[in-house]
Amino acid sequence: MRKLTYFVASTIDGFIAAEDGTLDFFPVGGDHGPAIISQYPETLPTKVREARGIAAGNIYFDTVIMGRKTHDFGVRTGTASPYEHLRQYVVSTTLPEAPAPGVELIAEDPVAAVRELKREDGLGIWLCGGGELAQAVLPEIDQVFLKLHPVVLGTGRPLFGGGAKLPAPERFRVITSRVYADGVAFLKYGRIK
């Protein structure tokens, strides 16, 4: 069975974006980027991969699932189909149709859709964002790969949505961790079953 991995950047106070969806508070450069990209080249948008001459195939993921706000960020930066090298899904109850060719719409029950995707053959499934979707599909998240940036934002879009009450804590364990010279910690968590 394939794994669903929430692979995301966060501030140390748990925000993945500013309230307006911008990400400009995450530092650019440093040594963490090239190291992580070499392991997970499929997490770069297709246009960025092409511009950098990255021809590597998909190593870890072959499918990406994202919420509408995360997808809208890509639209604002010039692409409605940001990950053409992956099967792309957008979860939204407000979009009337798929936002672009090659992007499929999940309009109902994202948990059921994720369960169906996990039963298929293939590489892993990348939950790109956002926090509200991560909260909705939390029971299906097998791993959290967290790029923890040494930034305190104070307010913004939380790592796991709007704070719905869980019936019980969801527990994960650290699989690996590495702190880069630029201060970014890359933490891999696996679900405790």
Side-chain angles (χ1 to χ4, degrees):
M1 183 176 281
R2 303 199 300 165
K3 290 183 178 179
L4 178 64
T5 302
Y6 187 22
F7 188 117
V8 64
S10 176
T11 63
I12 57 177
D13 57 344
F15 296 106
I16 61 173
E19 289 182 0
D20 65 0
T22 59
L23 306 168
D24 57 358
F25 53 87
F26 286 128
V28 177
D31 64 331
H32 79 279
I36 295 171
I37 290 167
S38 70
Q39 291 179 316
Y40 305 97
E42 59 266 53
T43 61
L44 283 176
T46 303
K47 289 181 181 179
V48 175
R49 284 171 56 123
E50 291 169 354
R52 291 185 177 189
I54 298 173
N58 299 329
I59 298 169
Y60 202 87
F61 305 110
D62 65 8
T63 304
V64 62
I65 184 170
M66 63 192 104
R68 185 196 50 81
K69 292 176 188 171
T70 299
H71 181 264
D72 285 351
F73 178 79
V75 171
R76 287 194 312 271
T77 58
T79 181
S81 181
Y83 301 102
E84 294 172 357
H85 55 284
L86 300 171
R87 288 175 54 200
Q88 302 174 86
Y89 293 88
V90 173
V91 176
S92 174
T93 58
T94 60
L95 289 174
E97 60 186 24
V103 179
E104 296 183 51
L105 178 65
I106 298 172
E108 296 181 21
D109 194 2
V111 172
V114 165
R115 286 179 180 153
E116 185 176 317
L117 287 170
K118 288 173 78 172
R119 285 191 293 269
E120 296 175 358
D121 290 331
L123 298 175
I125 304 162
W126 170 30
L127 172 55
C128 179
E132 291 175 18
L133 178 57
Q135 181 179 351
V137 300
L138 180 57
E140 292 301 317
I141 294 175
D142 301 293
Q143 303 175 124
V144 177
F145 290 4
L146 187 63
K147 295 177 282 184
L148 192 61
H149 288 261
V151 174
V152 174
L153 192 57
T155 186
R157 294 185 181 170
L159 187 60
F160 283 96
K165 186 169 177 153
L166 298 174
E170 300 278 344
R171 299 199 185 273
F172 291 80
R173 64 178 173 80
V174 174
I175 299 170
T176 63
S177 64
R178 178 173 176 191
V179 179
Y180 292 89
D182 61 10
V184 173
F186 188 48
L187 307 160
K188 295 182 184 180
Y189 295 93
R191 179 177 290 281
I192 297 173
K193 301 206 183 217

